[in-house]
Amino acid sequence: SVDERDLYEILGNLVEKGCKYGHSRVRVGALAVGDEVRLRIEDDGPGVPEAARGDVLARGARADTAKAGQGIGLAVVTELVAAYGGTLEIGSSELGGAAVSVELPTASGIRSAGAQSESVSVSRDASTPEASKRATKRMGLQQTAQSSK
């Protein structure tokens, strides 16, 4: 099952990217469909060029070198999602920026209260881990396994 810290790492990295590149809005959503949970994180920033979408998932790769970063966050997310048998896709958001969709099997230990979406305003001072935990709680995502702290 998905370790609680891994779920927060996935959401935290994706919410952080949305806050970093979004102008004023980040939307985090979750939907339980059959035997999987679908997460979608969207922002209203410049988006990821279609030609670079596969490349930015590799360690050290970055589409935008104007902002600080190491090019590790999306690679970590990709590795964690793959480790649990899930998928990750980068697309375009109706907000105007990037949309990152993650699908994880519910057998991985995540369950959702149903289709929910949470809009989160970008705050440059907000703690990303705390924002991820609040969004996770508001969307009704729960861990079925204990954290291995």
Side-chain angles (χ1 to χ4, degrees):
S1 67
V2 172
D3 181 80
E4 182 177 313
R5 290 174 294 185
D6 288 343
L7 179 60
Y8 288 140
E9 183 77 20
I10 291 167
L11 283 169
N13 269 301
L14 296 178
V15 169
E16 180 179 4
K17 294 290 181 207
C19 290
K20 182 176 182 179
Y21 293 103
H23 299 302
S24 63
R25 287 185 64 197
V26 174
R27 182 165 56 202
V28 180
L31 177 66
V33 178
D35 61 351
E36 66 186 20
V37 170
R38 296 178 184 169
L39 306 173
R40 186 167 170 95
I41 295 81
E42 303 174 76
D43 66 61
D44 64 350
V48 179
E50 194 169 338
R53 290 178 183 169
D55 297 337
V56 297
L57 301 176
R59 279 190 184 268
R62 300 180 56 219
D64 175 12
T65 57
K67 297 197 181 219
Q70 301 293 318
I72 296 173
L74 286 176
V76 168
V77 170
T78 301
E79 291 167 9
L80 286 171
V81 168
Y84 290 108
T87 60
L88 180 144
E89 181 179 300
I90 299 175
S92 297
S93 167
E94 64 185 36
L95 299 178
V100 180
S101 299
V102 173
E103 295 183 2
L104 293 167
T106 54
S108 66
I110 300 171
R111 58 190 168 93
S112 173
Q116 303 212 14
S117 183
E118 179 70 25
S119 289
V120 180
S121 296
V122 173
S123 171
R124 302 291 179 210
D125 301 325
S127 161
T128 300
E130 288 306 313
S132 297
K133 288 179 183 180
R134 277 195 313 273
T136 302
K137 185 176 179 180
R138 286 180 185 167
M139 288 184 300
L141 289 176
Q142 301 173 2
Q143 290 295 305
T144 58
Q146 293 286 335
S147 173
S148 58
K149 290 184 178 180

